[in-house]
Amino acid sequence: MGGPERPARPEREPHHPARPKGEPRFPDGPQPDPAGSHFERRIRSFQPRRSRVTSGQADALQRLWPAWGLDIDGQRVVDLAELFGNENPVVLEIGFGMGEATARMAAADPATDILAVDVHTPGQGHLLHLAEQHGLTNVRVGNGDAIILLREMLAPDSLDGLRVYFPDPWPKKRHHKRRLIQPEFLDLVATRVRPGGTVHCATDWEPYAEQMLDVLSAHPAFENTRPEGGFTPRPGFRPLTRFEGQGLEKGHVVNDLLFRRVPHHDPSCREPRHDQSPTGG
């Protein structure tokens, strides 16, 4: 007699060949490394995050990226009026997470264009989805290193403001050099934000807030909008995010800093170097 009948093996799932190295995940969407090897590899202030892209985000990336997306390749100077289709003032936002706050600010101020830059693909897709859902024509999404964008792709005095909300605090002392808000970064920002434009930062990491305040206060191209100096109350145009609200409930302290680009740039301010180490994105 033969042994017991073996159960039939389940049919294997069809094999999907791996995507060849370098082939974009979304052929009509953001490129995986838009600047490639054209620029030096520097100490970066951001870490690309890998998480699942939902079907809705993927659909938005495929359909909307050709019209509303910008790959930061460093190969050309961007005509912002052409990018947005108008002559409105443009604010650069570095690091927008999932884009909810960006979308709310864009909806509240349709006369201001927002160029929002991040390297998080799900967030890029979600912001594009929100922009379409709410009819926001004043949002464009940048993919890549914000330093390359500022240095290579934006004309002098082309921005009316810069927003950096809750950047990575890099809490370990040996990593402080990776923090975005550094004197060299502000040297570059000072050449791209017009006189009278603003730099608005926010963080829930108090040691980083103190460093930001010190660095911005010491820079000759910027002045605190608070005559008495120090931090500013959260401006009404910056929405309270869900993440921020959860932090406040736990006792976290959130500090805002709002500085203005001074009308006359002090000649003692250094010109940005092409080998500067801090970066953004």
Side-chain angles (χ1 to χ4, degrees), residues 220-242:
F222 299 97
E223 63 182 4
N224 200 327
T225 60
R226 284 178 66 85
E228 65 274 26
F231 302 110
T232 187
R234 178 175 63 86
F237 65 80
R238 184 176 75 76
L240 184 70
T241 66
R242 181 175 54 183

PDB file of all heavy atoms in Angstrom, residues 220-242:
ATOM      1  N   PRO A 220      24.010  88.276   8.792  1.00  0.00           N
ATOM      2  CA  PRO A 220      23.795  89.677   8.419  1.00  0.00           C
ATOM      3  C   PRO A 220      22.691  89.909   7.403  1.00  0.00           C
ATOM      4  O   PRO A 220      22.239  91.041   7.247  1.00  0.00           O
ATOM      5  CB  PRO A 220      25.154  90.093   7.843  1.00  0.00           C
ATOM      6  CG  PRO A 220      25.767  88.820   7.364  1.00  0.00           C
ATOM      7  CD  PRO A 220      25.326  87.779   8.341  1.00  0.00           C
ATOM      8  N   ALA A 221      22.240  88.879   6.715  1.00  0.00           N
ATOM      9  CA  ALA A 221      21.224  89.059   5.680  1.00  0.00           C
ATOM     10  C   ALA A 221      19.800  88.947   6.208  1.00  0.00           C
ATOM     11  O   ALA A 221      18.850  89.159   5.453  1.00  0.00           O
ATOM     12  CB  ALA A 221      21.431  88.051   4.555  1.00  0.00           C
ATOM     13  N   PHE A 222      19.637  88.625   7.495  1.00  0.00           N
ATOM     14  CA  PHE A 222      18.296  88.403   8.030  1.00  0.00           C
ATOM     15  C   PHE A 222      18.105  89.151   9.342  1.00  0.00           C
ATOM     16  O   PHE A 222      19.049  89.317  10.126  1.00  0.00           O
ATOM     17  CB  PHE A 222      18.042  86.905   8.237  1.00  0.00           C
ATOM     18  CG  PHE A 222      18.124  86.106   6.972  1.00  0.00           C
ATOM     19  CD1 PHE A 222      19.297  85.430   6.634  1.00  0.00           C
ATOM     20  CD2 PHE A 222      17.058  86.058   6.090  1.00  0.00           C
ATOM     21  CE1 PHE A 222      19.391  84.721   5.458  1.00  0.00           C
ATOM     22  CE2 PHE A 222      17.147  85.342   4.906  1.00  0.00           C
ATOM     23  CZ  PHE A 222      18.314  84.672   4.589  1.00  0.00           C
ATOM     24  N   GLU A 223      16.858  89.567   9.591  1.00  0.00           N
ATOM     25  CA  GLU A 223      16.521  90.213  10.851  1.00  0.00           C
ATOM     26  C   GLU A 223      15.256  89.572  11.410  1.00  0.00           C
ATOM     27  O   GLU A 223      14.362  89.144  10.664  1.00  0.00           O
ATOM     28  CB  GLU A 223      16.298  91.717  10.650  1.00  0.00           C
ATOM     29  CG  GLU A 223      15.134  92.061   9.743  1.00  0.00           C
ATOM     30  CD  GLU A 223      14.962  93.563   9.536  1.00  0.00           C
ATOM     31  OE1 GLU A 223      15.816  94.316  10.044  1.00  0.00           O
ATOM     32  OE2 GLU A 223      13.980  93.972   8.875  1.00  0.00           O
ATOM     33  N   ASN A 224      15.176  89.498  12.709  1.00  0.00           N
ATOM     34  CA  ASN A 224      14.023  88.909  13.382  1.00  0.00           C
ATOM     35  C   ASN A 224      12.820  89.832  13.212  1.00  0.00           C
ATOM     36  O   ASN A 224      12.933  91.051  13.385  1.00  0.00           O
ATOM     37  CB  ASN A 224      14.337  88.711  14.871  1.00  0.00           C
ATOM     38  CG  ASN A 224      13.428  87.697  15.523  1.00  0.00           C
ATOM     39  OD1 ASN A 224      12.258  87.567  15.170  1.00  0.00           O
ATOM     40  ND2 ASN A 224      13.960  86.965  16.500  1.00  0.00           N
ATOM     41  N   THR A 225      11.672  89.265  12.872  1.00  0.00           N
ATOM     42  CA  THR A 225      10.469  90.081  12.741  1.00  0.00           C
ATOM     43  C   THR A 225       9.919  90.510  14.086  1.00  0.00           C
ATOM     44  O   THR A 225       9.058  91.391  14.141  1.00  0.00           O
ATOM     45  CB  THR A 225       9.373  89.329  11.961  1.00  0.00           C
ATOM     46  OG1 THR A 225       9.035  88.124  12.658  1.00  0.00           O
ATOM     47  CG2 THR A 225       9.845  88.988  10.547  1.00  0.00           C
ATOM     48  N   ARG A 226      10.398  89.888  15.150  1.00  0.00           N
ATOM     49  CA  ARG A 226      10.018  90.332  16.500  1.00  0.00           C
ATOM     50  C   ARG A 226      11.029  91.375  16.968  1.00  0.00           C
ATOM     51  O   ARG A 226      12.216  91.048  17.126  1.00  0.00           O
ATOM     52  CB  ARG A 226       9.998  89.153  17.483  1.00  0.00           C
ATOM     53  CG  ARG A 226       8.782  88.258  17.336  1.00  0.00           C
ATOM     54  CD  ARG A 226       8.854  87.085  18.294  1.00  0.00           C
ATOM     55  NE  ARG A 226       8.778  87.483  19.685  1.00  0.00           N
ATOM     56  CZ  ARG A 226       7.648  87.694  20.355  1.00  0.00           C
ATOM     57  NH1 ARG A 226       6.489  87.560  19.749  1.00  0.00           N
ATOM     58  NH2 ARG A 226       7.670  88.026  21.632  1.00  0.00           N
ATOM     59  N   PRO A 227      10.594  92.600  17.192  1.00  0.00           N
ATOM     60  CA  PRO A 227      11.540  93.647  17.592  1.00  0.00           C
ATOM     61  C   PRO A 227      12.337  93.289  18.836  1.00  0.00           C
ATOM     62  O   PRO A 227      13.511  93.651  18.962  1.00  0.00           O
ATOM     63  CB  PRO A 227      10.641  94.864  17.828  1.00  0.00           C
ATOM     64  CG  PRO A 227       9.405  94.596  17.014  1.00  0.00           C
ATOM     65  CD  PRO A 227       9.220  93.115  17.050  1.00  0.00           C
ATOM     66  N   GLU A 228      11.693  92.551  19.760  1.00  0.00           N
ATOM     67  CA  GLU A 228      12.377  92.173  20.992  1.00  0.00           C
ATOM     68  C   GLU A 228      13.220  90.918  20.827  1.00  0.00           C
ATOM     69  O   GLU A 228      13.902  90.471  21.763  1.00  0.00           O
ATOM     70  CB  GLU A 228      11.366  91.974  22.125  1.00  0.00           C
ATOM     71  CG  GLU A 228      10.403  90.804  21.927  1.00  0.00           C
ATOM     72  CD  GLU A 228       9.174  91.143  21.110  1.00  0.00           C
ATOM     73  OE1 GLU A 228       9.236  92.072  20.293  1.00  0.00           O
ATOM     74  OE2 GLU A 228       8.143  90.461  21.313  1.00  0.00           O
ATOM     75  N   GLY A 229      13.194  90.320  19.635  1.00  0.00           N
ATOM     76  CA  GLY A 229      13.971  89.117  19.381  1.00  0.00           C
ATOM     77  C   GLY A 229      13.292  87.865  19.907  1.00  0.00           C
ATOM     78  O   GLY A 229      12.181  87.900  20.442  1.00  0.00           O
ATOM     79  N   GLY A 230      13.936  86.744  19.745  1.00  0.00           N
ATOM     80  CA  GLY A 230      13.408  85.477  20.248  1.00  0.00           C
ATOM     81  C   GLY A 230      12.438  84.815  19.292  1.00  0.00           C
ATOM     82  O   GLY A 230      12.343  85.151  18.106  1.00  0.00           O
ATOM     83  N   PHE A 231      11.711  83.851  19.826  1.00  0.00           N
ATOM     84  CA  PHE A 231      10.764  83.085  19.025  1.00  0.00           C
ATOM     85  C   PHE A 231       9.475  83.882  18.829  1.00  0.00           C
ATOM     86  O   PHE A 231       9.163  84.796  19.586  1.00  0.00           O
ATOM     87  CB  PHE A 231      10.463  81.746  19.698  1.00  0.00           C
ATOM     88  CG  PHE A 231      11.690  80.898  19.921  1.00  0.00           C
ATOM     89  CD1 PHE A 231      12.178  80.675  21.207  1.00  0.00           C
ATOM     90  CD2 PHE A 231      12.378  80.335  18.853  1.00  0.00           C
ATOM     91  CE1 PHE A 231      13.314  79.900  21.414  1.00  0.00           C
ATOM     92  CE2 PHE A 231      13.509  79.571  19.047  1.00  0.00           C
ATOM     93  CZ  PHE A 231      13.976  79.354  20.339  1.00  0.00           C
ATOM     94  N   THR A 232       8.729  83.492  17.792  1.00  0.00           N
ATOM     95  CA  THR A 232       7.468  84.164  17.496  1.00  0.00           C
ATOM     96  C   THR A 232       6.312  83.205  17.746  1.00  0.00           C
ATOM     97  O   THR A 232       6.458  81.989  17.583  1.00  0.00           O
ATOM     98  CB  THR A 232       7.452  84.650  16.030  1.00  0.00           C
ATOM     99  OG1 THR A 232       6.287  85.438  15.799  1.00  0.00           O
ATOM    100  CG2 THR A 232       7.437  83.471  15.059  1.00  0.00           C
ATOM    101  N   PRO A 233       5.150  83.714  18.174  1.00  0.00           N
ATOM    102  CA  PRO A 233       3.981  82.830  18.271  1.00  0.00           C
ATOM    103  C   PRO A 233       3.654  82.246  16.902  1.00  0.00           C
ATOM    104  O   PRO A 233       3.954  82.855  15.864  1.00  0.00           O
ATOM    105  CB  PRO A 233       2.872  83.780  18.744  1.00  0.00           C
ATOM    106  CG  PRO A 233       3.575  84.936  19.366  1.00  0.00           C
ATOM    107  CD  PRO A 233       4.861  85.084  18.607  1.00  0.00           C
ATOM    108  N   ARG A 234       3.064  81.058  16.893  1.00  0.00           N
ATOM    109  CA  ARG A 234       2.732  80.429  15.612  1.00  0.00           C
ATOM    110  C   ARG A 234       1.837  81.357  14.800  1.00  0.00           C
ATOM    111  O   ARG A 234       0.748  81.727  15.243  1.00  0.00           O
ATOM    112  CB  ARG A 234       2.009  79.097  15.847  1.00  0.00           C
ATOM    113  CG  ARG A 234       1.588  78.394  14.550  1.00  0.00           C
ATOM    114  CD  ARG A 234       0.993  77.022  14.815  1.00  0.00           C
ATOM    115  NE  ARG A 234      -0.217  77.087  15.603  1.00  0.00           N
ATOM    116  CZ  ARG A 234      -1.450  77.272  15.086  1.00  0.00           C
ATOM    117  NH1 ARG A 234      -1.611  77.410  13.774  1.00  0.00           N
ATOM    118  NH2 ARG A 234      -2.504  77.325  15.871  1.00  0.00           N
ATOM    119  N   PRO A 235       2.303  81.754  13.599  1.00  0.00           N
ATOM    120  CA  PRO A 235       1.464  82.618  12.758  1.00  0.00           C
ATOM    121  C   PRO A 235       0.192  81.896  12.334  1.00  0.00           C
ATOM    122  O   PRO A 235       0.170  80.677  12.170  1.00  0.00           O
ATOM    123  CB  PRO A 235       2.357  82.913  11.538  1.00  0.00           C
ATOM    124  CG  PRO A 235       3.752  82.586  11.986  1.00  0.00           C
ATOM    125  CD  PRO A 235       3.614  81.481  12.989  1.00  0.00           C
ATOM    126  N   GLY A 236      -0.854  82.661  12.141  1.00  0.00           N
ATOM    127  CA  GLY A 236      -2.132  82.067  11.776  1.00  0.00           C
ATOM    128  C   GLY A 236      -2.107  81.328  10.461  1.00  0.00           C
ATOM    129  O   GLY A 236      -2.904  80.405  10.248  1.00  0.00           O
ATOM    130  N   PHE A 237      -1.176  81.682   9.569  1.00  0.00           N
ATOM    131  CA  PHE A 237      -1.149  81.007   8.261  1.00  0.00           C
ATOM    132  C   PHE A 237      -0.499  79.637   8.332  1.00  0.00           C
ATOM    133  O   PHE A 237      -0.612  78.869   7.381  1.00  0.00           O
ATOM    134  CB  PHE A 237      -0.439  81.875   7.215  1.00  0.00           C
ATOM    135  CG  PHE A 237       1.030  82.114   7.475  1.00  0.00           C
ATOM    136  CD1 PHE A 237       1.986  81.159   7.153  1.00  0.00           C
ATOM    137  CD2 PHE A 237       1.457  83.307   8.047  1.00  0.00           C
ATOM    138  CE1 PHE A 237       3.333  81.375   7.388  1.00  0.00           C
ATOM    139  CE2 PHE A 237       2.807  83.540   8.280  1.00  0.00           C
ATOM    140  CZ  PHE A 237       3.747  82.571   7.951  1.00  0.00           C
ATOM    141  N   ARG A 238       0.200  79.312   9.431  1.00  0.00           N
ATOM    142  CA  ARG A 238       0.775  77.966   9.544  1.00  0.00           C
ATOM    143  C   ARG A 238      -0.208  77.065  10.283  1.00  0.00           C
ATOM    144  O   ARG A 238      -0.418  77.232  11.483  1.00  0.00           O
ATOM    145  CB  ARG A 238       2.121  77.978  10.282  1.00  0.00           C
ATOM    146  CG  ARG A 238       2.754  76.578  10.304  1.00  0.00           C
ATOM    147  CD  ARG A 238       4.132  76.566  10.937  1.00  0.00           C
ATOM    148  NE  ARG A 238       4.121  76.682  12.374  1.00  0.00           N
ATOM    149  CZ  ARG A 238       3.806  75.695  13.219  1.00  0.00           C
ATOM    150  NH1 ARG A 238       3.419  74.511  12.756  1.00  0.00           N
ATOM    151  NH2 ARG A 238       3.839  75.884  14.526  1.00  0.00           N
ATOM    152  N   PRO A 239      -0.813  76.109   9.602  1.00  0.00           N
ATOM    153  CA  PRO A 239      -1.809  75.252  10.250  1.00  0.00           C
ATOM    154  C   PRO A 239      -1.186  74.382  11.342  1.00  0.00           C
ATOM    155  O   PRO A 239      -0.020  73.981  11.265  1.00  0.00           O
ATOM    156  CB  PRO A 239      -2.345  74.380   9.106  1.00  0.00           C
ATOM    157  CG  PRO A 239      -1.902  75.055   7.848  1.00  0.00           C
ATOM    158  CD  PRO A 239      -0.645  75.776   8.179  1.00  0.00           C
ATOM    159  N   LEU A 240      -1.984  74.093  12.335  1.00  0.00           N
ATOM    160  CA  LEU A 240      -1.589  73.138  13.361  1.00  0.00           C
ATOM    161  C   LEU A 240      -1.802  71.739  12.794  1.00  0.00           C
ATOM    162  O   LEU A 240      -2.927  71.353  12.479  1.00  0.00           O
ATOM    163  CB  LEU A 240      -2.430  73.326  14.626  1.00  0.00           C
ATOM    164  CG  LEU A 240      -2.068  72.446  15.823  1.00  0.00           C
ATOM    165  CD1 LEU A 240      -0.728  72.866  16.410  1.00  0.00           C
ATOM    166  CD2 LEU A 240      -3.159  72.552  16.889  1.00  0.00           C
ATOM    167  N   THR A 241      -0.727  70.987  12.616  1.00  0.00           N
ATOM    168  CA  THR A 241      -0.847  69.653  12.027  1.00  0.00           C
ATOM    169  C   THR A 241      -1.258  68.635  13.079  1.00  0.00           C
ATOM    170  O   THR A 241      -1.134  68.866  14.291  1.00  0.00           O
ATOM    171  CB  THR A 241       0.477  69.209  11.389  1.00  0.00           C
ATOM    172  OG1 THR A 241       1.461  69.044  12.428  1.00  0.00           O
ATOM    173  CG2 THR A 241       0.980  70.244  10.397  1.00  0.00           C
ATOM    174  N   ARG A 242      -1.747  67.500  12.624  1.00  0.00           N
ATOM    175  CA  ARG A 242      -2.136  66.432  13.542  1.00  0.00           C
ATOM    176  C   ARG A 242      -0.937  65.953  14.353  1.00  0.00           C
ATOM    177  O   ARG A 242      -1.026  65.760  15.566  1.00  0.00           O
ATOM    178  CB  ARG A 242      -2.729  65.267  12.741  1.00  0.00           C
ATOM    179  CG  ARG A 242      -3.188  64.096  13.589  1.00  0.00           C
ATOM    180  CD  ARG A 242      -3.873  63.055  12.727  1.00  0.00           C
ATOM    181  NE  ARG A 242      -3.028  62.649  11.603  1.00  0.00           N
ATOM    182  CZ  ARG A 242      -3.405  61.792  10.668  1.00  0.00           C
ATOM    183  NH1 ARG A 242      -4.621  61.272  10.695  1.00  0.00           N
ATOM    184  NH2 ARG A 242      -2.578  61.457   9.696  1.00  0.00           N
TER     185      ARG A 242
END
